[in-house]
Amino acid sequence: MSDLCPRCADPAVRTVAHSPVPGVWQVLQCARCLYMWRTTEPARRTSRDAYPERFRLTAEDIASASEVPAVPPLLGSA
């Protein structure tokens, strides 16, 4: 496993969860782009080298991204 985020290549990756059975898997999150992945996922989700190029982000992509719109409130049931 790499110490870089697969999506943006940032080294600030933190562990956010561990499997109930110790040592089986971890859930990791990138501090810059907020991408999250489980360590048992395939290389195309966990390795920068195998992550699809069309989905990769750079620091410039993140800095120039427009704000994500808020989720609108749920409509009442009919």
Side-chain angles (χ1 to χ4, degrees), residues 6-29:
R7 183 163 66 173
C8 74
D10 193 78
V13 172
R14 68 183 184 104
T15 302
V16 295
H18 295 274
S19 63
V21 177
V24 175
W25 52 260
Q26 295 175 314
V27 175
L28 306 175
Q29 182 178 36

Side-chain angles (χ1 to χ4, degrees), residues 29-63:
Q29 182 178 36
C30 174
R32 179 168 49 185
C33 74
L34 305 179
Y35 179 68
M36 294 181 83
W37 66 99
R38 190 180 303 189
T39 55
T40 55
E41 293 185 62
R44 69 182 181 275
R45 301 287 176 256
T46 63
S47 168
R48 178 67 175 180
D49 292 336
Y51 196 81
E53 286 194 36
R54 66 183 180 180
F55 297 118
R56 291 182 186 184
L57 296 175
T58 64
E60 295 78 28
D61 293 332
I62 295 167

Side-chain angles (χ1 to χ4, degrees), residues 67-73:
E67 186 175 332
V68 177
V71 176

